[in-house]
Amino acid sequence: MTLREKWIGWRNGILGDPGFQRFAARFPLMRPVARRRARGLFDLVAGFTYSQTLAACIQTGVLELLASGPCATRDVAAKADLPVEGADRLLCAATALRLVERLGPDRWALGADGAALRGNGGIAEMVAHHHLLYADLADPVALLRRGGGGGALARYWHYAEDSGQGDGAQVAPYSALMAASQPLIAQQVIDAYPFHKHQKILDVGGGEGAFLCAVAGSALRAELSLFDLAAVGERARARFDSAGYGNRTTIFGGSFLADALPQGHDLITLIRVLHDHDDAPAMTILRAIYAALPPGGKLLISEPMAETPGAEPAGDAYFGLYLLAMGSGRPRSPTEIRHMLKAAGFSRSRLIKTAMPLTTRIILATR
């Protein structure tokens, strides 16, 4: 047994002792620590009710209603199609989570965290589809035993298990969700990297083109290309034309797991794509990108990553189980991704800082 293993065993024995817990709660110097640990443990136990409170606020439109101004309980109940007692219970729960703020015995306003949530485009759409994840996690042991997939979330993200397939109607739900949630990270990536230095940019797995539309505003002279399923590309074309970028964009239809990528681009971007795939297909994607790039060409990878300091639960706890339920992919640390890049042939890579690493981190690789 190593020294660290011995220390962990001793520590856990102390922390698990009810007598020590009572002592820590009474002792003035240790009481704040004990209370923080107790709060953290309770949040871990009760977290599912918090997320369901948020889901109910979004589903009923409570946050949008309060964003237009304070309301009385009966007005919230009428707009949300809830009984007054149900609306009051939801508003009280949302107040405890800072989503809502109580102004008086029967008057409510949007809370600080509720306002911040509304300011992050795409979060509401993400929360709205979480009922699929909740259904899969109703029996998490069964999900783990079957090796992932096979449930509601996998059916929603069917392309993950059946890559390259799907007509316009089939790809619409997940394509729209990815586009709606893109603002969460697009601006961070643009703020962190000088896209204007490149002449031809290809976004692989670019969906409806939301990310490229954001890049277009900062890389005014660059030619923009998108590679994704043909049915998704059709939706991207409509977005580019609507935004006025139709003459600057080229769309290539195909599967990045089966088809060669178009060449001639000095930058290829991979935005929230790599972690959606298991190791073997992820390596296929990286090798295809390496083959498509000229010497000195760049690959920019942006996605949430495992082992992010201060945001560890977002990696393996949230995305680890989310991707397992989806049936494909896993969160990876920057070190793992850089090792994969080296194996794919890239000469060097580096991590680029972003403003909110919890949401996305960036790795830039050079061919």
Side-chain angles (χ1 to χ4, degrees):
M1 183 178 291
T2 66
L3 184 61
R4 183 185 181 193
E5 290 171 339
K6 291 179 180 178
W7 181 85
I8 290 174
W10 175 83
R11 178 201 66 191
N12 291 349
I14 294 294
L15 293 177
D17 181 2
F20 175 79
Q21 293 177 6
R22 290 193 299 272
F23 166 75
R26 296 193 306 267
F27 186 57
L29 294 179
M30 299 182 69
R31 188 180 299 141
V33 176
R35 289 178 175 175
R36 282 197 302 271
R37 286 189 175 275
R39 168 64 189 271
L41 286 173
F42 185 83
D43 287 346
L44 184 61
V45 171
F48 76 100
T49 63
Y50 304 162
S51 61
Q52 291 292 58
T53 297
L54 173 59
C57 286
I58 289 175
Q59 185 176 343
T60 58
V62 166
L63 299 185
E64 292 302 316
L65 174 62
L66 294 179
S68 63
C71 289
T73 307
R74 63 180 179 277
D75 297 325
V76 173
K79 294 286 187 179
D81 192 23
L82 293 171
V84 172
E85 294 79 5
D88 182 73
R89 188 67 61 97
L90 176 59
L91 290 164
C92 287
T95 297
L97 299 178
R98 291 168 49 90
L99 298 170
V100 171
E101 186 171 340
R102 185 191 289 271
L103 299 179
D106 189 42
R107 195 160 177 81
W108 313 83
L110 187 66
D113 286 352
L117 184 145
R118 291 188 69 256
N120 286 275
I123 288 185
E125 287 81 1
M126 292 175 65
V127 172
H129 91 288
H130 270 169
H131 67 281
L132 303 170
L133 178 60
Y134 301 154
D136 291 339
L137 290 179
D139 189 346
V141 176
L143 174 66
L144 292 164
R145 284 176 175 164
R146 69 173 179 263
L153 200 63
R155 288 189 292 273
Y156 182 85
W157 297 104
H158 71 93
Y159 83 97
E161 294 183 316
D162 195 16
S163 183
Q165 303 300 313
D167 58 24
Q170 290 174 317
V171 303
Y174 68 74
S175 185
L177 173 61
M178 291 300 289
S181 59
Q182 197 66 269
L184 287 169
I185 66 168
Q187 195 58 52
Q188 288 192 58
V189 178
I190 292 168
D191 289 344
Y193 185 76
F195 286 90
H196 65 273
K197 292 184 176 181
H198 295 278
Q199 297 179 338
K200 298 188 70 175
I201 301 171
L202 171 66
D203 191 21
V204 173
E208 294 190 5
F211 179 73
L212 270 187
C213 278
V215 169
S218 63
L220 299 178
R221 298 181 180 179
E223 297 179 29
L224 307 175
S225 300
L226 181 145
F227 186 95
D228 211 317
L229 304 179
V232 179
E234 294 173 4
R235 299 174 65 84
R237 171 54 61 202
R239 178 182 289 268
F240 290 145
D241 290 343
S242 177
Y245 299 132
N247 62 337
R248 293 179 56 194
T249 55
T250 302
I251 297 175
F252 299 91
S255 166
F256 46 57
L257 296 179
D259 303 317
L261 299 178
Q263 299 187 354
H265 300 85
D266 57 324
L267 174 67
I268 291 179
T269 57
L270 207 55
I271 310 298
R272 295 189 301 176
V273 171
L274 201 66
H275 72 167
D276 285 353
H277 295 82
D278 296 330
D279 289 349
M283 285 302 303
T284 297
I285 297 169
L286 293 179
R287 291 190 177 105
I289 291 174
Y290 179 85
L293 282 170
K298 309 290 186 182
L299 164 62
L300 185 147
I301 298 171
S302 174
E303 61 188 33
M305 297 181 190
E307 300 179 15
T308 295
E312 290 85 355
D316 286 316
Y318 175 75
F319 282 107
L321 289 180
Y322 186 104
L323 295 171
L324 181 69
M326 191 175 85
S328 175
R330 66 180 181 88
R332 299 179 177 90
S333 69
T335 299
E336 288 181 287
I337 294 173
R338 295 183 68 188
H339 285 161
M340 294 172 71
L341 287 165
K342 184 176 181 180
F346 287 88
S347 61
R348 60 185 183 276
S349 63
R350 63 186 177 93
L351 193 64
I352 296 177
K353 291 183 178 180
T354 58
M356 190 68 67
L358 179 150
T359 306
T360 194
R361 303 180 81 180
I362 295 174
I363 292 177
L364 184 71
T366 303
R367 187 189 192 286

